[in-house]
Each structure stands twice: as C-alpha cells, then as structure tokens.
Amino acid sequence: ESMEFSPDEKLITVTAEKLGGQHCLIIYDISTGNKIKELKTRNKLTHSDISNNMELITAGSDKGEVIIWESPNFTKKILTTTGADIWEARINPSAKQIAAVSFKDRTTYDLLVFDLSNQEITTEKLYSSPEDKHRWWAECHFSKSGEYLILLGGSEQEGSIVVYNAKTGKELWIDEASHSQTVFDCDVSPDETLLATVSLDMTARVWDIKTGEQYIQPLQNNAGMWHCRFNEDQTKLIASDYSSRVIVW
C-alpha cells in the first residue's frame, strides 16, 4: 500500500497484506535489505512513516485508525478512530508531531495534527474540505526541516493547496483557484524558500512558500503531472506526467 524512507534514508517502512491476509508494517535496513521489525495489525494499513532510529512509527488504517509505536517497547497505541480512511500519516522530522489525512467516502477530507511532546496527547483539526464540493484526492507533507506542513488535494474542477507553520498550526496561505484540477504532488526547495506543485490541469507552479505568491509563470505541459522534484541547487524542476514522460524546466 505504501513505502516511506526515514529522514536519514537508513530505514524504509512498507505497509502490506500477506498472502494469508495478515496486515502488517515491515521495516527494512536500506543498506543491507534485512528486515528489522514487523508490526502486525487487524485492519488494512493504508500508509506509514518512520523517524530516524525507529524512535517513532506511525500508520493509518482503512478503519480510520491513526496508530503509533514508540521505542523501545513498540506498544501499539491508537491516537484516534475517525471512521474514515486514513490516506496518509506522516511524522514531523524535527518534532514529536504527526499529521494525518482522514478521507470520508472519497468526497471530503480532514487534516489532523497530533502533538506527542507532552504526556497528554493533543489533537487539532487544521482543515476540513468543503462539504458541498466532491474531492477525490488529498495528501500531506512536512518540509525536511519540519517547519512547514503542506496539504494538497482537489477534484476535476479545482486544485487545493494549504501551507501551515507546522510548529504553531497557523495557516500561512491557501490557494484553491490557481490550479483548475487536482494537485497531485509538491516539493519544497532545498533552502525551503519555494514550493513546487504539479496538477492534473497540465501545469506546474512555483510558489513563495511563506506568502503563496507565484514565483514564476505557470510551467505548461501537454498532459497532467503526477510528481515533481527540485534538483539540489534548485535551478531545475523535474516532473513526471500521465504520458510516462519526464519533463525538466
């Protein structure tokens, strides 16, 4: 169902269903390929994430569970049960914080943030998509520093981008008009000043991550795009599209 690297890229977590029907989360050592740990669950896991040194592991299920395991005992703890699919559960790379997207019937979604820094875990709902608009895609991402939290999504009629200060939960900006269809992916530039987004609407856009102002004119393509990444010196943007092509600007 999903595969994610730890921030230092030494570990990888995979959510899977075995042939016998057992749902599990498996952690591998990147350098050796050896399985380090396997965590079993009753319900199907939809997404997982892992911190460095396996200090914190999280996963979401198709029954609305946001689950964590913490070292050294890795006792399973369910933070919430929303009753909707958890499409993503992500760990802030610099804080004991988890963001999760809860998607109800593939029509509306919520962004939930869990603060694990204190003995009493707190939950905050940062965003709910409009109930009168049918959305069918959503995902969230922390920047590498953990300073920003980005929520993407949309439908065939609009694209949605919301950027937050991850530490405070304050919304920095929202744009639900520039992309005319679903926003599928984003990338934060290495210096964390720019945000790139790609959409079904056949455009890539580059934004000032703090203000939401568009840094350049939209980059045009002749097919919708799935993924995007900046290069290391952020002089190029690379994207992949529906036609199985790689585009470089």
Side-chain angles (χ1 to χ4, degrees), residues 32-144:
T32 65
N34 293 333
K35 182 169 73 172
I36 299 173
K37 198 165 195 64
E38 180 175 326
L39 301 167
K40 297 178 181 179
T41 62
R42 168 184 280 184
N43 297 317
K44 176 182 176 181
L45 296 177
T46 51
H47 190 265
S48 65
D49 200 8
I50 186 169
S51 66
N52 294 336
N53 303 316
M54 293 200 311
E55 292 176 355
L56 178 63
I57 303 164
T58 188
S61 80
D62 65 346
K63 300 301 182 184
E65 300 162 313
V66 179
I67 308 164
I68 61 168
W69 297 264
E70 292 184 270
S71 65
N73 298 323
F74 297 101
T75 301
K76 177 183 174 182
K77 180 184 293 185
I78 298 175
L79 300 181
T80 190
T81 303
T82 66
D85 286 354
I86 302 298
W87 271 36
E88 292 202 325
R90 294 192 181 272
I91 300 170
N92 186 320
S94 65
K96 294 196 70 175
Q97 182 186 56
I98 289 172
V101 175
S102 176
F103 216 138
K104 184 178 180 180
D105 301 324
R106 296 199 176 189
T107 56
T108 59
Y109 54 83
D110 297 325
L111 175 64
L112 307 174
V113 173
F114 303 88
D115 184 350
L116 313 181
S117 61
N118 300 310
Q119 186 171 0
E120 183 177 347
I121 297 171
T122 59
T123 308
E124 185 177 4
K125 184 188 293 185
L126 296 186
Y127 179 90
S128 292
S129 65
E131 293 188 1
D132 60 344
K133 295 182 179 180
H134 186 152
R135 300 267 178 96
W136 53 267
W137 183 267
E139 59 182 45
C140 65
H141 301 271
F142 285 105
S143 63
K144 288 184 179 180

Side-chain angles (χ1 to χ4, degrees), residues 172-235:
L172 299 179
W173 57 274
I174 181 170
D175 188 296
E176 297 186 318
S178 296
H179 279 298
S180 61
Q181 293 179 290
T182 299
V183 181
F184 279 126
D185 194 25
C186 73
D187 192 37
V188 178
S189 63
D191 68 359
E192 299 204 358
T193 61
L194 302 175
L195 174 72
T197 56
V198 289
S199 170
L200 184 63
D201 69 5
M202 301 188 290
T203 67
R205 295 173 185 264
V206 181
W207 316 76
D208 182 307
I209 197 168
K210 288 185 178 180
T211 67
E213 293 182 12
Q214 293 198 48
Y215 187 70
I216 56 174
Q217 292 296 312
L219 302 169
Q220 303 291 332
N221 190 37
N222 58 11
M225 288 174 279
W226 284 109
H227 302 289
C228 64
R229 292 294 180 268
F230 285 102
N231 68 334
E232 288 187 3
D233 65 3
Q234 62 197 54
T235 59

